[in-house]
Amino acid sequence: MMQFPHNFLWGAASSAHQVEGNNINSDWWEWEKRVGLKEPSGQACWHYQLYKEDFDLAKSLNHNAHRLSVEWSRIEAVQGEFSEQELAHYREVILSLKEHNIEPIVTLHHFTNPLWFAKIGGWKNKKAIDYFSRYVDKVVTALGDQVHFWVTINEPLIYVYKSYILGEWPPQKKSLNLARKITHNLAIAHIKAYRLIHSIYKKRSFSRPSVSIAQNLQAFVACPPTLKNKFAAYLGERLYNFGFVEKLMRHRVLDFIGINYYGPFFMEAHGWRLKNLLLEASRQEHRELKKNTLGWYIYPEGLYQLLIKLKRYKLPIFILENGICSQDDQLRWDYIRQHLVNVHRAMQEGVAVLGYIYWSLLDNFEWDKGFAPRFGLIDVDYRDYKRTIRESARKFAEVCKTGVLN
Ligand code: BGC
C-alpha cells in the first residue's frame, strides 16, 4: 500500500484549443484550414459550452485540481482590444471549478497564438514580449483573486522544436537560429510574466501566488549504452530537460517546477556531429516496452529518475501532465498506476511533489494528429459530444479519494 500526503493535488488537464472548439482567431485555426488538416479542431469537445458538465464529471471522479488554459486569441482577438466578455467567461469557468472545490491551475500560453500576433512574426517579433506581458496583465488582473497556480508557458521547448526545428507545427520553420531566438524570447516572456504576476498580487494584497512553466521532460536513455550514445543522452538531458529550467532558476522566477512527462527518448547517435548527437533517437525497436497509439514508448521508471535529478533544485515539483493515448483502457490504468508508483518512490526518497495531473480529462484534439489519439479519462463521442467515463478513470478516482495506491 502506498500513501500519498493528505493535501496532494489530484486531477486532469486540458488546453483551450484542444477542447473548447471554434477557436477561430488563432494561428492554429488558420493553419488547419490552410494546410487542409484532415481532422481540424472544429467544435473540438464543445467544452466552451459544456465546461460545467465536464467539471461535474471531474468532481464525481474525486479530482481536487484541474489544469486548463485561457486562450489569448479569444481574449485579444484584435490587437490591443481586450474582450471583457471573454475575460468574464473565463472568470465563470474558474468560479465553476471553485464551486466544485477544484483548485484551478491556469496556463496562459498553450501552443496557440492570436492570428494577428502570428502575422507580425509571432515570437520572433521584437515586441512579442511586450504584447504577451500586456495580455498577462489583463488576465491576471481579471482573474488573480481566484487563482493561486499559474503556468505562464506550456512546454516552451516542444513548441520551439515542433514549430521552428522540425517545421511540423505553425509557422513551420526549420531554422536553428530562429529556434535559438524564440527560445530566448520565451524565457524572457516568462521572466517578465513571473514578475508581473507577483507584482499584481502584491499591489492587490492577494496571497502570494505560485508561478512556473510546464517543462516537458524526456527520459534520455543511451541505447545501446556506448560512449557516443551516453554522451548524446547527456547532451539531450542538459540542453533539453534542464537548460531552460536552470536559466529561469538563475533569475529566481520559479515558485515550483511544473513538469510534463510522457516517456523516454532512446539515443543512438550515428556520428559525433552535434546534429547526430542531438537529433537522433534510436530506430532500434525496444520490444520489451509497450507503446501508446502514437508509438511513444512507455517507461514509468524514467519519471522516477527525473524526479530524483530535479531534487537538486530544491523546489517543489508539480506533475502537470502525464498520460497515454490508447484504445486499451487497461493499459491506461497500468500506465497511471506505474507512474504513480514511481512518483511515490521518489517522494519516499525526499522529492517534494505537490500533485499529479493526468493528461487529459477528455479525449481531445491532438494537434496535427487530429482526434484519433485517445488520451482521455473520459471518452468523447464526436458525433454528439457525449461523454463516457472510462474504467481507468474510476480506478484513478479511488486513488484521488483515498490518497492510497494499492
Ligand atoms: C501537450 C499537450 C498534448 C500532449 C500529448 C503535451 O506535450 O502539452 O497539448 O496534447 O502533450 O501529446
Side-chain angles (χ1 to χ4, degrees):
M1 186 186 100
M2 284 154 273
Q3 174 83 53
F4 285 82
H6 71 277
N7 56 352
F8 202 72
L9 291 167
W10 299 101
S14 69
S15 93
H17 188 74
Q18 294 178 272
V19 294
E20 285 181 349
N22 278 328
N23 190 18
I24 57 173
N25 295 307
S26 67
D27 58 347
W28 263 85
W29 184 273
E30 188 273 340
W31 180 79
E32 291 164 23
K33 297 263 174 298
R34 183 157 43 85
V35 302
L37 195 68
K38 223 168 66 205
E39 288 184 321
S41 55
Q43 305 285 340
C45 306
W46 240 37
H47 177 74
Y48 190 91
Q49 285 78 7
L50 294 179
Y51 67 90
K52 281 194 184 124
E53 286 82 347
D54 290 336
F55 298 158
D56 287 344
L57 292 173
K59 186 70 204 168
S60 78
L61 295 170
N62 306 318
H63 295 187
N64 62 7
H66 183 77
R67 181 173 169 224
L68 72 157
S69 75
V70 291
E71 179 59 39
W72 185 3
S73 65
R74 287 190 197 277
I75 294 169
E76 190 183 1
V78 177
Q79 183 173 0
E81 289 178 21
F82 289 87
S83 162
E84 289 305 325
Q85 200 184 325
E86 294 295 349
L87 286 168
H89 168 80
Y90 284 117
R91 193 170 172 84
E92 270 169 37
V93 171
I94 287 165
L95 286 173
S96 167
L97 282 171
K98 298 210 103 168
E99 277 158 23
H100 286 81
N101 270 323
I102 298 178
E103 179 73 37
I105 302 152
V106 182
T107 307
L108 290 156
H109 185 275
H110 197 123
F111 297 153
T112 52
N113 297 302
L115 186 57
W116 64 262
F117 180 80
K119 280 189 172 158
I120 55 168
W123 287 98
K124 81 164 196 269
N125 186 300
K126 272 202 210 87
K127 295 181 82 180
I129 295 158
D130 293 341
Y131 293 134
F132 183 66
S133 300
R134 187 173 59 176
Y135 153 71
V136 172
D137 189 1
K138 293 280 181 211
V139 173
V140 174
T141 301
L143 309 177
D145 61 327
Q146 300 297 331
V147 178
H148 175 69
F149 289 104
W150 291 99
V151 174
T152 55
I153 300 169
N154 181 67
E155 299 185 344
L157 298 185
I158 285 277
Y159 173 69
V160 170
Y161 185 59
K162 295 276 204 185
S163 298
Y164 291 92
I165 294 179
L166 294 183
E168 289 175 359
W169 289 0
Q172 292 197 288
K173 303 284 182 211
K174 284 187 188 183
S175 154
L176 280 182
N177 259 340
L178 206 48
R180 219 173 288 132
K181 183 171 177 173
I182 305 286
T183 307
H184 175 77
N185 283 354
L186 291 173
I188 306 294
H190 169 80
I191 293 169
K192 293 216 160 159
Y194 176 95
R195 294 189 179 137
L196 183 59
I197 297 171
H198 275 274
S199 80
I200 294 171
Y201 274 59
K202 220 176 186 167
K203 217 168 24 197
R204 306 206 150 199
S205 314
F206 300 156
S207 58
R208 208 184 135 77
S210 279
V211 185
S212 187
I213 56 166
Q215 169 71 21
N216 182 275
L217 298 178
Q218 307 273 347
F220 286 93
V221 184
C223 180
T226 60
L227 189 63
K228 189 164 7 91
N229 294 343
K230 280 188 188 162
F231 187 54
Y234 167 80
L235 272 185
E237 179 135 299
R238 293 303 316 147
L239 291 175
Y240 184 82
N241 281 348
F242 301 129
F244 198 85
V245 169
E246 285 179 6
K247 181 169 178 162
L248 301 185
M249 295 281 307
R250 284 195 292 279
H251 287 84
R252 299 178 180 277
V253 289
L254 293 176
D255 298 317
F256 63 95
I257 303 179
I259 64 165
N260 296 353
Y261 175 76
Y262 286 85
F265 217 18
F266 292 107
M267 301 303 279
E268 185 181 22
H270 298 287
W272 283 95
R273 295 172 61 180
L274 211 55
K275 201 172 129 202
N276 304 118
L277 294 167
L278 286 179
L279 295 177
E280 287 176 1
S282 174
R283 272 174 283 275
Q284 187 183 317
E285 285 291 304
H286 291 257
R287 290 185 203 285
E288 72 279 16
L289 294 185
K290 293 198 168 141
K291 293 178 183 176
N292 73 11
T293 47
L294 286 169
W296 308 351
Y297 289 109
I298 299 171
Y299 189 61
E301 58 269 45
L303 180 54
Y304 164 80
Q305 291 155 6
L306 288 162
L307 287 171
I308 294 293
K309 285 177 187 160
L310 288 169
K311 201 172 154 185
R312 62 173 176 254
Y313 300 121
K314 299 191 171 59
L315 278 176
I317 303 198
F318 202 158
I319 299 162
L320 295 175
E321 283 182 35
N322 174 241
I324 179 172
C325 52
S326 183
Q327 299 288 357
D328 177 352
D329 195 50
Q330 180 58 41
L331 185 61
R332 186 184 327 279
W333 170 242
D334 291 344
Y335 180 100
I336 297 173
R337 192 182 173 282
Q338 282 305 317
H339 283 83
L340 286 176
V341 166
N342 281 282
V343 174
H344 187 264
R345 187 172 158 216
M347 290 175 80
Q348 292 300 100
E349 294 176 29
V351 181
V353 182
L354 298 172
Y356 174 90
I357 304 294
Y358 178 80
W359 182 272
S360 182
L361 181 66
L362 306 169
D363 289 338
N364 62 58
F365 173 71
E366 178 58 19
W367 305 112
D368 53 335
K369 307 288 187 305
F371 288 97
R374 300 277 180 160
F375 277 95
L377 291 172
I378 299 170
D379 168 274
V380 176
D381 184 334
Y382 293 108
R383 288 167 305 185
D384 55 8
Y385 302 102
K386 187 168 174 283
R387 276 77 164 138
T388 309
I389 292 177
R390 294 197 164 105
E391 204 35 49
S392 55
R394 297 193 194 281
K395 291 183 179 148
F396 180 51
E398 265 314 292
V399 185
C400 301
K401 182 170 164 191
T402 58
V404 172
L405 181 68
N406 291 305

